[in-house]
Amino acid sequence: MSVLRPLDKLPGLNTATILLVGTEDALLQQLAEAMLKEDCTSELKVHLAKSLPLPSNVNRPRIDLIVFVVNLHSKHSLRNVEESLHHVDATFFLGKVSFLATGAGRESHCSIHRNTVMQLAHTYRSPLLFCDLEGTQVRALVREDLTCHRATKPMYHNY
Amino acid sequence: MDSYDAPESTPRQCASSGLKDYFIGATPLQKRLESVRKQTSFIPTPPRRKIPQCSQLQEDVDPQKFAFLLHKQWTLYSLTPLYKFSYTNFKEYSKLLNAFIAAEKQKGLAVEVGDDFNIKVIFSTLLGMKGTQRDPEAFLVQILSKSQLPSEHREGKVLWTGWFCCIFGDSLLETVSEDFTCLPLFLANGAETNTAIIGTWFQKTFDCYFRPLAINAFNLSWMAAMWTACKMDHYMATTEFLWSVPCSPQSLDISYAIHPEDAKALWDSVHKTPGEVTQEEVDLFMDCLYSHFHRHFKIHLSATRLVRVSTSVASAHTDGKIKILCHKYLIGVLAYLTELAIFQIE
């Protein structure tokens, strides 16, 4: 079983790769588009995956940041994320993993309690963002947060 | 890590600080402030543990007295505390509300064809409808049609019923001052127009606020687990779940019916701690149902939205509609609903 490791490949020059993991295709697509619209000095690549482990036969660049997307309206998405977490190396959790929970705004449609996701993020020592991907302003907020998040991590090393 | 969670915690803080400004200098309030501050700290709260009130009836509830509350569909609302409400003024309230309804109906705001303006409003207390001694008394409001015939003994037909109650409402009772009566749960049966008129009157007279109480899928699965856990002598209805699948153009509904004894057997195999229901047990119970369904139909029910739960104890719909079928667990069902109502108020 392949496990994602943060330093198993050489970093790309001036590029950052973000991996979004989640069951909701439309949601991931929206988030990816929002992130790519953002102007930044380095090149940004966004990969989407339904779950981990990723197929090992594909040649892909080094993943710099993993964002696990949980939809609070769907227990299935939470189970999917929980199972995917097992395929991530422990060293990834030193700041290269982030959780994103959507759907908190519509309380009447929630089938997962907020605390469950908070507990998950707390267990994995990773930050958690709550947002609803419905407004453009919110998308901007998410972009900002994720970009700041990215920017604080060393994206490339000059050996 | 703090900055990331800020968007989530701020709305809750705003709501409680609004309430805080209203009551100044009360010690129970300062206790609540403390607890609010603790909530916004970054250690997530432990999974909720609930004790099913099913088998505990605090008061000796006479089944006959509350029989008229069963087998009716009630629409749920949460209600903020009533200001300067008095149980001794029921006659006056009846007269005022009667006049108000007549005025509203004549205004043409809520005229229905064949509507009888000869109506009578009755306020009465529901003794024994409480969880602890501290809970305020529940009361009932009914709109009856005055019978056209002169015979006095003929009871008018009940057009609309609404009742206010508070079962185990300690968390709310602690924070309010003497002038307020806390009856956070309001249940109504009857025409929507009447509910609106009566709601308006209460809001104007007692400075309170009604909000429809929606029940989300998370709480519905708790209800399903708690009601399946209730010991019943005989089962009146099958245990049924209804899920709504969001898809275009029209949403799809999936209905899953289980024999109640099978559901109870499944619950018993999952249940460990006697007298308590934990989050893990509820999740496991629902997961068993989901995986069974997936094995047969290859559909992930966990990706859909639970909309309705129906058991022999009670049935609940996500829009805030409830029907209680068993008088034995009436208080237990209301206790959970009171908790949801209090949560919505706060």
Side-chain angles (χ1 to χ4, degrees), chain A residues 72-74 103 106-112, chain B residues 216-218 305 318:
Chain A
L72 288 178
H73 300 177
S74 157
R106 290 180 88 185
E107 183 67 38
S108 57
H109 286 233
C110 287
S111 41
I112 305 170
Chain B
N216 64 22
F218 177 77
R305 184 167 73 107
T318 193

Side-chain angles (χ1 to χ4, degrees), chain A residues 73-77 79 107-116 118-119 121-122 125-130 141 145 149, chain B residues 1 4-5 7-8 12 42-46 48 214-218 221 283 286-287 290 300 302-305 318 343:
Chain A
H73 300 177
S74 157
K75 257 198 189 157
H76 181 59
S77 68
R79 291 277 171 270
E107 183 67 38
S108 57
H109 286 233
C110 287
S111 41
I112 305 170
H113 200 267
R114 243 180 249 170
N115 283 348
T116 313
M118 285 167 73
Q119 184 73 37
H122 184 75
R125 302 287 189 272
S126 297
L128 171 65
L129 285 169
F130 282 93
L141 173 73
D145 279 322
H149 192 74
Chain B
M1 221 151 115
Y4 294 101
D5 267 354
E8 181 262 331
R12 293 259 311 219
F42 276 52
I43 299 142
T45 52
R48 301 192 303 177
I215 309 172
N216 64 22
F218 177 77
S221 30
D283 285 340
M286 296 306 289
D287 282 342
Y290 292 151
H300 286 286
S302 48
T304 62
R305 184 167 73 107
T318 193
F343 183 74

Side-chain angles (χ1 to χ4, degrees), chain B residues 311-333:
Chain B
T311 64
S312 296
V313 172
S315 77
H317 189 278
T318 193
D319 291 338
K321 306 231 189 302
I322 187 127
K323 196 189 273 195
I324 308 174
L325 304 167
C326 177
H327 70 86
K328 216 166 113 182
Y329 298 109
L330 177 63
I331 299 288
V333 171

Side-chain angles (χ1 to χ4, degrees), chain B residues 173-327:
Chain B
L173 291 167
E174 277 168 18
T175 61
V176 297
S177 63
E178 293 299 312
D179 291 330
F180 287 85
T181 312
C182 283
L183 292 161
L185 188 62
F186 172 61
L187 302 97
N189 171 281
E192 182 55 42
T193 48
N194 287 332
T195 314
I197 294 174
I198 293 184
T200 317
W201 183 81
F202 268 92
Q203 284 177 170
K204 281 213 285 221
T205 319
F206 301 111
D207 197 21
C208 57
Y209 186 65
F210 286 87
R211 257 181 74 189
L213 183 66
I215 309 172
N216 64 22
F218 177 77
N219 290 317
L220 280 175
S221 30
W222 265 93
M223 285 184 190
M226 291 200 301
W227 298 344
T228 309
C230 295
K231 252 201 294 265
M232 301 277 288
D233 299 323
H234 73 277
Y235 292 96
M236 293 179 273
T238 50
T239 304
E240 207 179 300
F241 297 84
L242 188 69
W243 282 272
S244 168
V245 185
C247 61
S248 55
Q250 256 183 328
S251 69
L252 186 71
D253 283 336
I254 299 176
S255 162
Y256 185 177
I258 319 170
H259 194 274
E261 277 162 26
D262 291 340
K264 182 75 166 64
L266 174 64
W267 173 257
D268 288 335
S269 66
V270 163
H271 187 52
K272 288 186 194 59
T273 22
E276 265 191 353
V277 178
T278 63
Q279 179 68 57
E280 292 88 30
E281 286 168 5
V282 176
D283 285 340
L284 193 53
F285 179 68
M286 296 306 289
D287 282 342
C288 289
L289 298 174
Y290 292 151
S291 57
H292 180 82
F293 199 84
H294 184 251
R295 208 181 309 134
H296 289 276
F297 300 103
K298 297 286 178 275
I299 295 178
H300 286 286
L301 281 175
S302 48
T304 62
R305 184 167 73 107
L306 183 58
V307 166
R308 198 180 120 94
V309 166
S310 184
T311 64
S312 296
V313 172
S315 77
H317 189 278
T318 193
D319 291 338
K321 306 231 189 302
I322 187 127
K323 196 189 273 195
I324 308 174
L325 304 167
C326 177
H327 70 86

Side-chain angles (χ1 to χ4, degrees), chain B residues 155-166:
Chain B
E155 283 264 319
K157 198 171 70 136
V158 176
L159 299 173
W160 183 93
T161 317
W163 47 296
F164 301 73
C165 67
C166 176

